[in-house]
Amino acid sequence: MMRIPLLTLALVFHVLALNAKEYNIADYGAERDKLSTTAIQKAIDAAFEAGGGTVVVPAGMYITGAIILKSRINLHLEQGAELQSSTNLEDFLIGNKRYGMIYCEDAVQVSITGKGIINGRGSDFYIPNENHTNSTLPNSVPEFYPALTRQKEKYMKESPFFTDGPLKRKPRPGMTIVFFHCNQVTIKDITIKDTPIWATRFGYCEDVLISGVSIMNNPMIPNSDGIHLTVSRNVRISDCDIVCGDDAIIVTGFAKIENTPGFTSEEQDKYKNGNKTIFAENIQVNNCRLQSRSSAIRIGYGQHPIRRCTFTNIIISESNRGIGIYAHDSSSIEELIFSNITIETRLHNGVWWGKGEPIHLSSISRLKGEPAGKIRQVQFNNISAIGEQGILVYAMKENPMEDIQFQNVKFFIRKGKETMNYGGNFDLRPTASPETQLFSHDIAGLYAQNVNNLSIKGFELSWDKDLPFFFTHGIHAVNVGNLLNEGFYGSGNPSFPGSKKVHLENASMRKP
């Protein structure tokens, strides 16, 4: 039997004792239905000065601007409690910087728990009957050129209101809940709703547990991401229910300043705590339900490499994309496993990125003069999908993907209400070149371009009736080396006479 040192036990009991001490925000002046930022901060500061404790939000609604969470604090929302965002942007200013509702930096043993609600009032920061339209990407290139699409000038005219959004934004607070450079972070059982931008961000964090959390955002709101991990490691996410107008669960390599190439350790060295490695890594996600107007699961973008992520037992519904992996910056993405996942995607109108692909992998630069990263060692196992676009695996010739595996995949391609208006295009946004952002292309059940070691084992493909002519082959492989195709049950689009079960262009096969 292993013996735990008495000093370790003493430290554990000390931490438990600290967290057991409660600081009720009502005792510090918080009043129901009134702005209570100062009172909530006083309770947090008192607990912090005492060495830690639990700051209790009792039943009732309390309005707040920006509050700063600190080490060894558990912010606990009791059943019936609601922290509601102020709609006055001045309430989010601390010094000259605008924050969201909860911000925590360089802290340890910090948590948000309970059965209460954090309400970001995001819909108040958007115009209800106006759309966000074809805007400009960070490299000053428009998001797309209609002339390059299959529909030409008919593609997404800006005169009607797009019923799927996204809505036009007004000035808004910062990200709703943010942890930067923190260790031992827990968010458990709370409900987060209607955030105006990212619901949560964990930047450069180490040892994060997110369990039993519901994020219920307005799906019309752009950038209302769910759980966003940026250069964090050793993260467990389980039993969460997330509905978002943008990506639902995200792993990126973004530094604090997102759209700059390369990375240094300068940002990490400034702080005592957090992830001190260069990697976003060791992410485990299981037993979650996701819905997104972008990618339900998104891996990629940013300066830091991403590796060793697993996603299991996931249900994805009503999403623009199911799983998206994007090496659009120079950092590599590798060692990813997706297993036992049910996916339903559809084509949405409006300028959402994506075209209904259940699975999308792309390696292409989004910044002029910068190379794209490498995607390698990715597995998709036991996937059941319904979608309105094919599976896409797209890399550039100078930077092929490596070791991509599909095993036991069942996929039904259906015709949707927006198929003729938006379908028949590849959507690779954001990219540095206008020609590769959004452009006309035939749609295969699985299209792969510039891949070395592509393995397809047990792929069952079926097609809806009366699909348009731009749906073509079952599998279409272009510049694919060492392709293994074992157990493919399906055909090309039965509605298109020229379709093939498998169409190869400069592709080499290997035997099982």
Side-chain angles (χ1 to χ4, degrees):
M1 177 179 175
M2 183 180 70
R3 294 186 179 273
I4 301 174
L6 292 178
L7 177 60
T8 301
L9 286 173
L11 288 173
V12 170
F13 291 138
H14 179 59
V15 170
L16 290 174
L18 286 175
N19 288 336
K21 188 172 182 180
E22 294 187 352
Y23 299 79
N24 193 307
I25 64 170
D27 296 334
Y28 292 83
E31 297 184 62
R32 292 183 179 182
D33 305 319
K34 292 184 179 181
L35 185 66
S36 298
T37 313
T38 301
I40 297 169
Q41 192 63 60
K42 283 181 178 179
I44 292 170
D45 293 344
F48 177 71
E49 291 299 324
T54 297
V55 174
V56 176
V57 181
M61 190 271 284
Y62 301 87
I63 300 171
T64 185
I67 58 175
I68 305 298
L69 209 53
K70 300 180 180 181
S71 289
R72 298 176 182 86
I73 302 296
N74 173 25
L75 180 64
H76 183 78
L77 284 73
E78 292 185 337
Q79 181 81 43
E82 179 174 326
L83 285 180
Q84 187 177 104
S85 171
S86 168
T87 56
N88 183 353
L89 294 182
E90 292 186 2
D91 293 331
F92 297 93
L93 289 174
I94 299 178
N96 295 320
K97 184 176 179 180
R98 182 185 294 171
Y99 292 83
M101 292 178 69
I102 300 171
Y103 186 84
C104 186
E105 185 173 77
D106 208 8
V108 297
Q109 295 177 8
V110 59
S111 57
I112 305 174
T113 64
K115 299 294 186 180
I117 296 170
I118 295 175
N119 182 352
R121 295 188 66 176
S123 300
D124 290 316
F125 299 99
Y126 288 80
I127 302 172
N129 296 311
E130 292 187 35
N131 284 120
H132 166 79
T133 53
N134 183 17
S135 61
T136 301
L137 294 168
N139 53 6
S140 299
V141 175
E143 285 192 8
F144 63 87
Y145 291 89
L148 299 178
T149 68
R150 185 174 299 276
Q151 292 79 9
K152 307 299 181 186
E153 72 281 355
K154 295 181 180 179
Y155 186 91
M156 203 172 294
K157 290 183 178 180
E158 296 184 358
S159 54
F161 178 75
F162 301 122
T163 55
D164 291 331
L167 297 177
K168 187 174 181 178
R169 64 175 67 99
K170 299 187 289 187
R172 54 194 174 169
M175 299 170 190
T176 304
I177 301 173
V178 174
F179 293 90
F180 266 123
H181 303 279
C182 292
N183 289 353
Q184 297 172 270
V185 180
T186 297
I187 298 187
K188 194 173 189 327
D189 295 335
I190 64 168
T191 295
I192 305 167
K193 72 177 187 180
D194 198 19
T195 66
I197 191 169
W198 299 3
T200 64
R201 182 179 188 179
F202 302 83
Y204 293 106
C205 288
E206 176 100 27
D207 296 330
V208 177
L209 172 64
I210 305 166
S211 177
V213 172
S214 293
I215 300 177
M216 298 289 112
N217 279 341
N218 181 347
M220 299 285 282
I221 290 180
N223 305 122
S224 62
D225 296 24
I227 298 172
H228 203 132
L229 310 173
T230 57
V231 203
S232 289
R233 68 192 298 262
N234 300 333
V235 179
R236 291 171 293 156
I237 301 172
S238 68
D239 304 293
C240 293
D241 192 355
I242 303 174
V243 176
C244 289
D246 214 313
D247 308 309
I249 294 180
I250 311 98
V251 181
T252 69
F254 277 137
K256 201 165 188 177
I257 302 175
E258 294 177 7
N259 292 314
T260 56
F263 66 86
T264 69
S265 64
E266 181 181 355
E267 167 67 23
Q268 292 160 290
D269 293 342
K270 289 191 298 185
Y271 298 92
K272 179 180 178 181
N273 296 296
N275 178 13
K276 300 298 184 180
T277 76
I278 68 169
F279 296 101
E281 65 176 351
N282 303 338
I283 315 295
Q284 297 179 337
V285 180
N286 63 82
N287 298 330
C288 293
R289 188 188 76 84
L290 311 175
Q291 180 180 330
S292 168
R293 289 282 162 91
S294 195
S295 296
I297 298 170
R298 170 182 143 192
I299 312 292
Y301 301 156
Q303 299 91 327
H304 291 260
I306 300 168
R307 66 182 186 181
R308 299 173 187 165
C309 304
T310 62
F311 292 78
T312 59
N313 299 326
I314 311 289
I315 297 175
I316 296 170
S317 61
E318 284 290 301
S319 294
N320 219 28
R321 283 179 176 141
I323 300 167
I325 304 171
Y326 311 94
H328 290 207
D329 293 295
S330 58
S331 55
S332 62
I333 303 173
E334 59 189 352
E335 298 179 64
L336 311 179
I337 300 175
F338 302 88
S339 300
N340 302 325
I341 300 178
T342 300
I343 304 172
E344 180 202 12
T345 59
R346 72 175 180 90
L347 247 169
H348 291 82
N349 59 42
V351 297
W352 302 108
W353 293 352
K355 289 290 169 284
E357 313 98 291
I359 297 172
H360 172 116
L361 294 79
S362 57
S363 177
I364 185 168
S365 177
R366 70 185 182 99
L367 299 174
K368 290 182 179 179
E370 291 295 318
K374 177 78 75 173
I375 297 176
R376 55 187 167 226
Q377 298 176 30
V378 182
Q379 298 179 28
F380 300 93
N381 304 316
N382 303 320
I383 308 293
S384 178
I386 298 173
E388 297 177 4
Q389 182 94 330
I391 295 170
L392 181 61
V393 184
Y394 191 103
M396 304 303 287
K397 190 172 184 179
E398 63 272 16
N399 190 30
M401 297 185 201
E402 297 177 356
D403 301 318
I404 310 299
Q405 175 180 300
F406 295 89
Q407 182 166 301
N408 297 330
V409 174
K410 185 176 182 179
F411 180 28
F412 173 67
I413 300 180
R414 70 181 178 192
K415 185 176 180 180
K417 67 176 183 178
E418 301 289 0
T419 294
M420 298 308 297
N421 296 325
Y422 299 99
N425 298 293
F426 278 1
D427 188 349
L428 305 179
R429 291 174 290 178
T431 72
S433 170
E435 289 75 21
T436 56
Q437 291 166 6
L438 179 62
F439 56 93
S440 175
H441 200 286
D442 288 347
I443 307 302
L446 188 157
Y447 179 88
Q449 174 179 307
N450 298 312
V451 183
N452 291 327
N453 295 326
L454 174 63
S455 175
I456 303 170
K457 296 181 180 180
F459 179 31
E460 183 178 337
L461 174 67
S462 55
W463 305 80
D464 206 349
K465 59 183 180 180
D466 299 327
L467 283 167
F469 67 94
F470 50 76
F471 287 95
T472 56
H473 311 298
I475 296 173
H476 188 177
V478 180
N479 298 329
V480 174
N482 212 19
L483 169 64
L484 173 64
N485 179 15
E486 180 183 7
F488 173 38
Y489 303 96
S491 66
N493 175 16
S495 300
F496 182 57
S499 68
K500 298 179 181 178
K501 180 176 181 177
V502 178
H503 181 55
L504 304 180
E505 298 178 46
N506 191 30
S508 62
M509 302 288 293
R510 61 185 165 104
K511 295 182 179 180

